[in-house]
Amino acid sequence: EIVLTQSPDFQSVTPKEKVTITCRASQSIGSSLHWYQQKPDQSPKLLIKYASQSISGVPSRFSGSGSGTDFTLTINSLEAEDAAAYYCHQSSSLPWTFGQGTKVEIK
Amino acid sequence: EVQLVQSGAEVKKPGESLKISCKGSGYSFTSYWIGWVRQMPGKGLEWMGIIYPGDSDTRYSPSFQGQVTISADKSISTAYLQWSSLKASDTAMYYCARLYPGIGSYMDVWGKGTTVTVSS
């Protein structure tokens, strides 16, 4: 089973700051890494697919990068509505797995 | 509009059985895998398994193999997650999601979730 480790677990950030969340895989997964946002009491929402591909309707301040074992989700100029938990997910091999999540709080 | 509509919240006792549902609409239900994801209270997402409604091909996470059964009825565009004997530790929110475009892919549309509470 591929283990995904996110860092940090929690981040408290001021609006307009840049946020960087990393996701490290226990073995190479190519670009089969996706990012989701989950706001309180809501379902997860797809933010980035295949490590760096944007999703229609998702604000351009969200971007992803990486391949192999190291991946990054970047939120440029954080807005109040971005307060949420963020999860990475690998679909390279079964069983699929998620990272443990990163909670982003707005100061 | 592509939608996944999940059944309502359930409150059950330990040892009882349960089957929750996820109905797809707005797309060809038999052409896309459906996945199930657990979220225990205050915790992260856990992948449980997936099913291809076209032929009911099913794959389970080892953590959930033998603990739950995933099925689908393509005639009514509905996927199911069921337990034969619930435990208190099954208390969680359960989400279904569509895999796009295929098995090695991402989950592009999610249901709103079904809360399952197991308590004596």
Side-chain angles (χ1 to χ4, degrees):
Chain A
E1 174 174 316
I2 295 173
V3 176
L4 297 179
T5 304
Q6 292 182 227
S7 62
D9 290 332
F10 176 83
Q11 199 164 10
S12 185
V13 188
T14 304
K16 298 189 180 179
E17 255 191 271
K18 178 179 175 179
V19 174
T20 299
I21 298 169
T22 65
C23 177
R24 175 162 289 176
S26 59
Q27 63 190 75
S28 180
I29 57 173
S31 295
S32 297
L33 190 285
H34 320 291
W35 291 97
Y36 302 87
Q37 175 194 63
Q38 186 181 31
K39 296 183 179 180
D41 298 318
Q42 293 187 17
S43 309
K45 171 188 169 184
L46 180 67
L47 277 185
I48 298 288
K49 62 182 181 182
Y50 295 115
S52 61
Q53 295 181 19
S54 59
I55 301 297
S56 176
V58 173
S60 59
R61 63 181 179 275
F62 292 94
S63 63
S65 64
S67 66
T69 60
D70 293 299
F71 302 86
T72 301
L73 173 70
T74 301
I75 311 174
N76 281 301
S77 191
L78 188 80
E79 298 193 6
E81 67 183 28
D82 300 333
Y86 294 85
Y87 296 92
C88 56
H89 155 234
Q90 67 82 20
S91 63
S92 173
S93 66
L94 295 172
W96 289 2
T97 46
F98 289 94
Q100 81 276 17
T102 295
K103 186 175 180 181
V104 174
E105 173 194 86
I106 309 299
K107 281 183 184 173
Chain B
E1 179 193 6
V2 176
Q3 284 191 84
L4 294 173
V5 177
Q6 296 189 236
S7 50
E10 301 275 0
V11 179
K12 292 289 192 180
K13 291 182 167 43
E16 290 186 332
S17 62
L18 176 64
K19 192 173 190 177
I20 62 174
S21 65
C22 169
K23 183 175 176 61
S25 63
Y27 73 101
S28 174
F29 186 74
T30 54
S31 299
Y32 298 91
W33 292 77
I34 291 284
W36 287 95
V37 175
R38 183 175 79 174
Q39 188 167 40
M40 299 177 78
K43 302 298 184 183
L45 306 175
E46 299 175 88
W47 179 76
M48 301 178 72
I50 52 176
I51 187 165
Y52 188 73
D55 61 6
S56 290
D57 185 4
T58 309
R59 317 288 173 89
Y60 292 93
S61 164
S63 299
F64 292 93
Q65 179 87 46
Q67 308 304 308
V68 298
T69 301
I70 295 171
S71 61
D73 184 340
K74 61 184 179 183
S75 69
I76 55 171
S77 301
T78 301
Y80 301 98
L81 179 65
Q82 69 181 87
W83 296 259
S84 58
S85 180
L86 286 160
K87 310 181 195 64
S89 57
D90 293 317
T91 294
M93 177 72 84
Y94 294 88
Y95 295 102
C96 64
R98 185 181 76 162
L99 278 58
Y100 188 89
I103 187 171
S105 192
Y106 50 89
M107 291 173 277
D108 69 333
V109 176
W110 292 68
K112 292 190 185 305
T114 295
T115 300
V116 173
T117 303
V118 184
S119 174
S120 53

